[in-house]
């Protein structure tokens, strides 16, 4: 028996994001098997897209449109990062390459913590921000935003998640994002907020198809 054909492409090669987004979608779209029909860009040979936008929204849309055009399938993309108050919103859209090497989480964390080494706790406010975009092959688009406020910790804590999760402690929590289990994190995360806001549009598209 052959696997069902993909119905939705997540414009990412990041397996952590793919796991998170599959869990967010699970059970939300009638008839959609997220494990076989929600795939990443690599599974359908979608192109890598340069993030040349200057906002999270612009980058998410660039990626979603490129993948939708290349595959002929609805595509979801997100762009997200950490915004630190005392750095004027940086690393922001440069979060994944803050240390100069894209996706080197350890180096990014080390550099950011070094930059904040003399900043006291009361001034270490920050937030994870996510823009989630849905693009269709006909060129139509929808974008939603999510934001998770917190405090940037002095040292990383926790083994879960990815990226800057070990150093952001959400408001109202005594643990970092990396110390939360996946259910707890998805319930409050910036990505969870953005994708839940996007869900009605996605359900409508998939039901129509």
């Amino acid at each position: 028996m052959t696997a069902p054909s993909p119905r939705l492409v997540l414009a990412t090669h990041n397996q952590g994001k793919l796991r998170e987004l599959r869990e967010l979608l699970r059970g939300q779209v009638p008839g959609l098997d997220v494990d076989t029909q929600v795939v990443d860009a690599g599974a359908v040979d979608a192109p890598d897209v340069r993030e040349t936008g200057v906002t999270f929204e612009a980058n998410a849309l660039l990626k979603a449109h490129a993948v939708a055009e290349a595959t002929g399938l609805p595509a979801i993309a997100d762009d997200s990062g950490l915004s630190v108050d005392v750095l004027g919103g940086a690393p922001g859209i440069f979060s994944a390459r803050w240390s100069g090497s894209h996706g080197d989480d350890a180096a990014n964390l080390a550099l950011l913590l070094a930059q904040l080494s003399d900043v006291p706790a009361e001034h270490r406010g920050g937030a994870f921000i996510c823009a989630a975009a849905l693009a269709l092959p006909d060129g139509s688009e929808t974008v939603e935003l999510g934001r998770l406020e917190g405090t940037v910790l002095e040292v990383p804590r926790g083994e879960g998640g990815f990226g800057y999760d070990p150093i952001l402690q959400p408001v109202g929590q005594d643990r970092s994002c990396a110390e939360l289990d996946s259910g707890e994190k998805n319930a409050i995360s910036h990505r969870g907020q953005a994708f839940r806001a996007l869900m009605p549009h996605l359900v409508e598209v998939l039901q129509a198809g």
Side-chain angles (χ1 to χ4, degrees), residues 57-76:
E57 296 97 319
N59 282 331
L61 283 167
L62 279 171
K63 293 185 284 187
H65 277 298
V67 171
E69 182 177 347
T71 64
L73 294 168
I76 290 182

Side-chain angles (χ1 to χ4, degrees), residues 6 10 23 25 29-30 32-34 48 55 59 73 77 82 88-89 93 100 111 134 137 148 161 168 174 178 183 188:
L10 301 175
E23 288 308 308
L25 286 164
V29 181
L32 180 70
D33 181 350
V34 297
D48 284 324
T55 65
N59 282 331
L73 294 168
L82 177 64
I93 61 170
L111 176 58
L134 169 64
L148 178 61
L168 190 78
D174 59 4
I188 64 172

Side-chain angles (χ1 to χ4, degrees), residues 13-201:
H13 294 276
N14 184 312
Q15 294 304 299
K17 284 187 178 182
L18 182 61
R19 285 192 299 272
E20 281 191 8
L21 301 182
R22 277 177 168 169
E23 288 308 308
L24 289 170
L25 286 164
R26 194 177 302 280
Q28 299 297 311
V29 181
L32 180 70
D33 181 350
V34 297
D35 295 315
T36 59
Q37 294 183 298
V38 176
V39 299
D40 66 6
V44 290
D45 295 321
D48 284 324
V49 182
R50 290 185 62 205
E51 296 179 349
T52 56
V54 296
T55 65
F56 292 117
E57 296 97 319
N59 282 331
L61 283 167
L62 279 171
K63 293 185 284 187
H65 277 298
V67 171
E69 182 177 347
T71 64
L73 294 168
I76 290 182
D78 80 288
D79 193 35
S80 58
L82 177 64
S83 172
V84 179
D85 296 348
V86 297
L87 297 180
I93 61 170
F94 302 108
S95 293
R97 53 190 184 276
W98 191 236
S99 65
S101 178
H102 194 284
D104 189 338
D105 289 350
N108 290 335
L109 287 176
L111 176 58
L112 185 65
L113 291 178
Q115 292 168 328
L116 298 176
S117 62
D118 59 350
V119 178
E122 62 268 26
H123 297 304
R124 296 176 73 96
F128 280 139
I129 300 172
C130 176
L134 169 64
L136 305 185
D138 67 6
S140 57
E141 64 186 41
T142 305
V143 186
E144 299 288 351
L145 290 173
R147 185 180 182 95
L148 178 61
E149 301 279 353
T151 299
V152 180
L153 300 170
E154 294 184 1
V155 295
R157 294 194 338 225
E159 301 297 325
F162 57 93
Y164 294 90
D165 283 353
I167 64 168
L168 190 78
Q169 181 174 303
V171 171
Q173 293 283 339
D174 59 4
R175 293 171 292 168
S176 76
C177 288
E179 293 175 304
L180 303 175
D181 66 36
S182 61
E184 292 174 311
K185 180 184 171 186
N186 288 344
I188 64 172
S189 77
H190 54 307
R191 190 169 295 109
Q193 293 174 40
F195 275 82
R196 280 190 292 274
L198 199 62
M199 203 61 59
H201 307 287

